[in-house]
Amino acid sequence: MQTIGLIGGMSWHSTASYYRLINEIVAERLGGHASAQVALQSLDFAAVRQCQVDGDWDGAGELLAEAGRRCVAGGADVVAICTNLMHKVAPAVEAAIDVPLLHIADAVAGVASPQGWDRLGVLGARWVMEETFYAERLARHGITAVAPGPDDRDLVDRVVFDELTQGRLLDESRAAYVAVIERLAEQGAQAVVLACTEIGLLVGPDDSPLPLIDSADAHARALAEVALSQEVALASASAAI
């Protein structure tokens, strides 16, 4: 079995979901007492959040790069960043480690492409919705990212940081997110990626008028497949397209 390195804690609420799902898949597949081999570095989200607020992406990159190095020192054969937004500094992490980084947007594409979805609505932190680093990664797979309008982006971002990353799940925010998804459908989105790893804790398939891709779920499942594989290089090759 391969060892999975997780750079988590951003926030710990979704990192817990990663750990649970990866182990559930490994246990189901192998049976008995089997569980995943995981090297976890759980960061203090307060420090990372301060870097985000200050626009100190170099500092954030070094925090995550050092976490990646510690994952590798702990035996990781592949590393994952357990958050969509912090893939903004994925190049810094990749430069710091000598094992593959499994990008979350590649895992999302791995769910969307077999369904024929090439136009995805994107809900996440402001940077994920407004900047190019996430959309460009999806575009490598022939997928167009559709962002909500300005007011909806404000709403989605506020709920992420004022509520979800602090473990607050409010019914009124769920209803507001569903309304945003309805407007994304009007913009031609075929499905919506929950491009913040906490949003899946708030909004589920039964709530949504469009199919959902929970990025945390997609990423964790891809990592579980790597854990169960014999060749990390082969398992990660499709993600590097």
Side-chain angles (χ1 to χ4, degrees):
M1 189 189 302
Q2 308 297 328
T3 298
I4 303 300
L6 299 179
I7 303 174
M10 300 168 286
S11 69
W12 68 263
H13 302 282
S14 59
T15 303
S17 298
Y18 271 80
Y19 187 77
R20 174 187 52 77
L21 183 55
I22 292 168
N23 277 287
E24 284 177 351
I25 292 170
V26 169
E28 180 180 1
R29 194 79 59 84
L30 299 183
H33 294 102
S35 60
Q37 296 175 175
V38 176
L40 170 62
Q41 288 293 316
S42 188
L43 299 178
D44 176 5
F45 188 41
V48 176
R49 179 61 180 152
Q50 193 60 55
C51 288
Q52 295 171 351
V53 172
D54 293 343
D56 182 10
W57 296 105
D58 288 341
E62 183 50 40
L63 285 174
L64 269 70
E66 179 56 31
R69 287 189 283 265
R70 292 195 297 267
C71 286
V72 174
D77 297 299
V78 63
V79 170
I81 302 170
C82 301
T83 156
N84 291 266
L85 169 55
M86 296 314 294
H87 280 74
K88 182 174 168 68
V89 300
V93 177
E94 288 178 307
I97 60 177
D98 58 2
V99 300
L101 178 75
L102 204 162
H103 198 290
I104 195 167
D106 294 331
V108 166
V111 175
S113 294
Q115 297 294 328
W117 298 331
D118 59 8
R119 189 171 173 84
L120 294 181
V122 177
L123 298 183
R126 179 181 304 279
W127 295 275
V128 173
M129 295 184 288
E130 294 183 348
E131 296 190 10
T132 61
F133 67 94
Y134 200 84
E136 288 176 351
R137 192 75 183 202
L138 290 175
R140 294 188 187 188
H141 302 271
I143 295 170
T144 298
V146 182
D151 291 344
D152 284 344
R153 294 197 300 269
D154 288 344
L155 165 72
V156 171
D157 183 82
R158 179 190 62 75
V159 169
V160 166
F161 291 111
D162 291 354
E163 299 172 19
L164 302 183
T165 55
Q166 298 180 52
R168 301 173 62 208
L169 306 176
L170 304 181
D171 289 340
E172 55 265 37
S173 295
R174 181 181 299 106
Y177 268 41
V178 169
V180 174
I181 293 171
E182 290 172 346
R183 288 187 283 276
L184 285 170
E186 293 171 359
Q187 293 175 242
Q190 300 158 306
V192 169
V193 53
L194 306 182
C196 163
T197 52
E198 282 79 27
I199 296 178
L201 302 174
L202 177 70
V203 181
D206 292 341
D207 304 310
S208 176
L210 286 177
L212 299 180
I213 301 175
D214 183 337
S215 60
D217 182 271
H219 206 196
R221 289 183 183 279
L223 288 163
E225 292 303 321
V226 172
L228 292 163
S229 72
Q230 295 300 310
E231 295 292 341
V232 171
L234 290 176
S236 60
S238 61
I241 295 173

